[in-house]
Amino acid sequence: MGMSASGARLKVRKYPTFSSLEEERLYRKQHLAAAYRVFAMRGFDEGVAGHISVRDPILEDHFWLNPLSTHFSQIKVSDLILVNEEGQVVEGDQPINAAAFAIHSAVHRRRPDVHAACHAHSVYGKAWSVFGRELDMYTQDSLRFFRSHGVYKHFGGVVLEGDEGERIADALGDGKAAILQNHGILTVGQTVDEAAFWFLSLDKTCQAQLLIDAAAAGSGNKPKIISDVEAAESYKQVGTPEKGWLAFQGYYDEVLAKTGGDFLK
């Protein structure tokens, strides 16, 4: 479906190419700031809890995070904090969330293919997390996480120690998401756009599962689970990094229009 009826090639948005690493750094920071704004618009903020990171394309063992006490809805490119693998602030004048460093440093170190990670205490994500189990493949949207999410079946308190971050990275494995028992959800991606969209989708998938399970318990009807064969085939259409990046672009456009590009400053 890449051509119109007249034979003209249709324009499909793709991750851009860059003339320099500095240009790519700016792009990543702009989309990181946008992701924070999108999270704020959807109520994924709660005090100083929650964080999104993106790997720096020049200093690849460094990543960008939000300052500790700036609300997601106010974050701009100029607010972002660059930290090294020791958790030291390299660029910026505010502290970061210690839990953010413990989680994100372990994920970025263990997964060189991952350039971004999202974690927040979204309502449906943390509600589903208390069951300490994977999602069932009930809906087409849940197939984005088919055999691509894990569960950290432990609550170790507020994540401040490096070992706890390592255990969360273990639960994530080579997948795109982890459900952190009694805590919330975590998603990762090759781009911050991808990771942010997986988070949006995972929270909604948790909501759908909670509704389905509650309805099933009340009615006595048993939900039908999508077969592994169908799930694996559909995953190719809805669960790849390219699909995740593309799906986020509408959200980026929305926040750009609503803020007049304020987050780009």
Side-chain angles (χ1 to χ4, degrees), residues 6 25 49 51 53-54 61 81 102 127 129 145 158 171 182 202 220 241 264:
S6 66
R25 171 187 275 173
H51 19 84
S53 67
V54 69
D61 57 353
I81 307 296
S129 77
F145 306 99
V158 177
N182 305 106
L202 183 57
L264 300 174

Short mmCIF file of all heavy atoms in Angstrom, two decimals, residues 6 25 49 51 53-54 61 81 102 127 129 145 158 171 182 202 220 241 264:
data_model
loop_
_atom_site.label_atom_id
_atom_site.label_comp_id
_atom_site.label_asym_id
_atom_site.label_seq_id
_atom_site.Cartn_x
_atom_site.Cartn_y
_atom_site.Cartn_z
N SER A 6 -3.09 6.81 -8.37
CA SER A 6 -2.48 7.45 -9.53
C SER A 6 -1.04 6.99 -9.77
O SER A 6 -0.41 7.37 -10.74
CB SER A 6 -2.50 8.97 -9.37
OG SER A 6 -1.66 9.36 -8.29
N ARG A 25 21.66 14.38 18.62
CA ARG A 25 21.50 14.66 20.05
C ARG A 25 20.34 15.62 20.29
O ARG A 25 19.51 15.39 21.17
CB ARG A 25 22.79 15.25 20.62
CG ARG A 25 22.65 15.78 22.04
CD ARG A 25 23.90 16.51 22.49
NE ARG A 25 24.89 15.57 23.02
CZ ARG A 25 26.13 15.92 23.35
NH1 ARG A 25 26.54 17.18 23.18
NH2 ARG A 25 26.98 15.04 23.85
N ALA A 49 7.86 11.00 41.21
CA ALA A 49 7.97 9.64 40.69
C ALA A 49 7.89 9.66 39.17
O ALA A 49 7.19 10.48 38.57
CB ALA A 49 6.85 8.77 41.26
N HIS A 51 10.12 8.66 35.31
CA HIS A 51 11.26 9.19 34.58
C HIS A 51 11.35 8.54 33.21
O HIS A 51 10.95 7.39 33.01
CB HIS A 51 12.57 8.95 35.35
CG HIS A 51 12.48 7.87 36.40
ND1 HIS A 51 12.63 6.54 36.11
CD2 HIS A 51 12.21 7.95 37.72
CE1 HIS A 51 12.48 5.83 37.22
NE2 HIS A 51 12.23 6.65 38.21
N SER A 53 14.30 8.28 30.02
CA SER A 53 15.69 8.55 29.69
C SER A 53 15.94 8.29 28.22
O SER A 53 15.24 7.50 27.58
CB SER A 53 16.63 7.65 30.51
OG SER A 53 16.48 6.29 30.14
N VAL A 54 16.97 8.95 27.68
CA VAL A 54 17.43 8.64 26.33
C VAL A 54 18.95 8.68 26.32
O VAL A 54 19.57 9.56 26.94
CB VAL A 54 16.82 9.61 25.28
CG1 VAL A 54 17.36 11.03 25.43
CG2 VAL A 54 17.06 9.10 23.87
N ASP A 61 27.73 6.17 26.92
CA ASP A 61 27.49 5.65 28.27
C ASP A 61 26.87 6.73 29.17
O ASP A 61 26.83 6.57 30.39
CB ASP A 61 28.78 5.11 28.89
CG ASP A 61 29.88 6.16 28.95
OD1 ASP A 61 29.69 7.26 28.39
OD2 ASP A 61 30.94 5.87 29.56
N ILE A 81 18.82 16.89 32.00
CA ILE A 81 20.06 16.66 32.73
C ILE A 81 20.82 15.50 32.10
O ILE A 81 20.25 14.43 31.87
CB ILE A 81 19.77 16.32 34.22
CG1 ILE A 81 18.88 17.39 34.87
CG2 ILE A 81 21.07 16.13 34.99
CD1 ILE A 81 19.50 18.76 34.96
N ALA A 102 19.21 4.36 39.23
CA ALA A 102 19.39 2.94 39.54
C ALA A 102 18.75 2.05 38.48
O ALA A 102 19.33 1.04 38.07
CB ALA A 102 18.81 2.62 40.92
N ALA A 127 -1.99 -0.74 39.08
CA ALA A 127 -3.08 -1.61 39.51
C ALA A 127 -2.85 -3.04 39.04
O ALA A 127 -3.02 -4.00 39.79
CB ALA A 127 -4.41 -1.08 38.99
N SER A 129 0.01 -4.31 38.22
CA SER A 129 1.28 -4.83 38.73
C SER A 129 1.13 -5.64 40.01
O SER A 129 1.96 -6.51 40.29
CB SER A 129 2.27 -3.69 38.96
OG SER A 129 1.99 -2.97 40.15
N PHE A 145 2.96 -6.84 22.98
CA PHE A 145 3.81 -7.32 24.07
C PHE A 145 3.89 -8.85 24.10
O PHE A 145 4.35 -9.43 25.07
CB PHE A 145 3.27 -6.77 25.40
CG PHE A 145 3.13 -5.29 25.37
CD1 PHE A 145 1.89 -4.69 25.12
CD2 PHE A 145 4.23 -4.47 25.51
CE1 PHE A 145 1.76 -3.32 25.05
CE2 PHE A 145 4.12 -3.08 25.43
CZ PHE A 145 2.88 -2.51 25.20
N VAL A 158 11.57 1.42 47.41
CA VAL A 158 12.01 2.43 46.46
C VAL A 158 13.38 2.02 45.91
O VAL A 158 14.28 1.67 46.67
CB VAL A 158 12.10 3.82 47.14
CG1 VAL A 158 12.64 4.86 46.16
CG2 VAL A 158 10.74 4.23 47.67
N ALA A 171 14.58 -8.98 34.80
CA ALA A 171 13.16 -9.27 34.49
C ALA A 171 12.80 -8.77 33.10
O ALA A 171 12.02 -9.40 32.39
CB ALA A 171 12.27 -8.61 35.55
N ASN A 182 3.78 -4.56 42.40
CA ASN A 182 3.44 -3.58 43.43
C ASN A 182 4.08 -2.21 43.19
O ASN A 182 4.22 -1.41 44.11
CB ASN A 182 3.85 -4.07 44.82
CG ASN A 182 3.26 -5.42 45.17
OD1 ASN A 182 3.96 -6.43 45.17
ND2 ASN A 182 1.97 -5.45 45.45
N LEU A 202 0.96 0.02 26.83
CA LEU A 202 0.98 -0.95 27.93
C LEU A 202 0.02 -0.55 29.03
O LEU A 202 -0.69 -1.40 29.59
CB LEU A 202 2.40 -1.10 28.48
CG LEU A 202 2.59 -2.13 29.59
CD1 LEU A 202 2.15 -3.52 29.14
CD2 LEU A 202 4.05 -2.16 30.05
N GLY A 220 -19.19 -14.87 34.65
CA GLY A 220 -18.92 -16.29 34.53
C GLY A 220 -18.45 -16.68 33.14
O GLY A 220 -18.15 -17.86 32.89
N PRO A 241 9.97 -2.13 16.36
CA PRO A 241 10.44 -0.78 16.72
C PRO A 241 9.94 0.29 15.77
O PRO A 241 9.59 1.40 16.20
CB PRO A 241 11.97 -0.92 16.65
CG PRO A 241 12.22 -2.35 16.96
CD PRO A 241 11.08 -3.11 16.32
N LEU A 264 10.52 22.87 23.10
CA LEU A 264 11.73 22.86 22.27
C LEU A 264 12.79 23.86 22.74
O LEU A 264 13.93 23.81 22.28
CB LEU A 264 11.38 23.16 20.82
CG LEU A 264 10.42 22.17 20.14
CD1 LEU A 264 10.04 22.66 18.76
CD2 LEU A 264 11.05 20.77 20.07
#
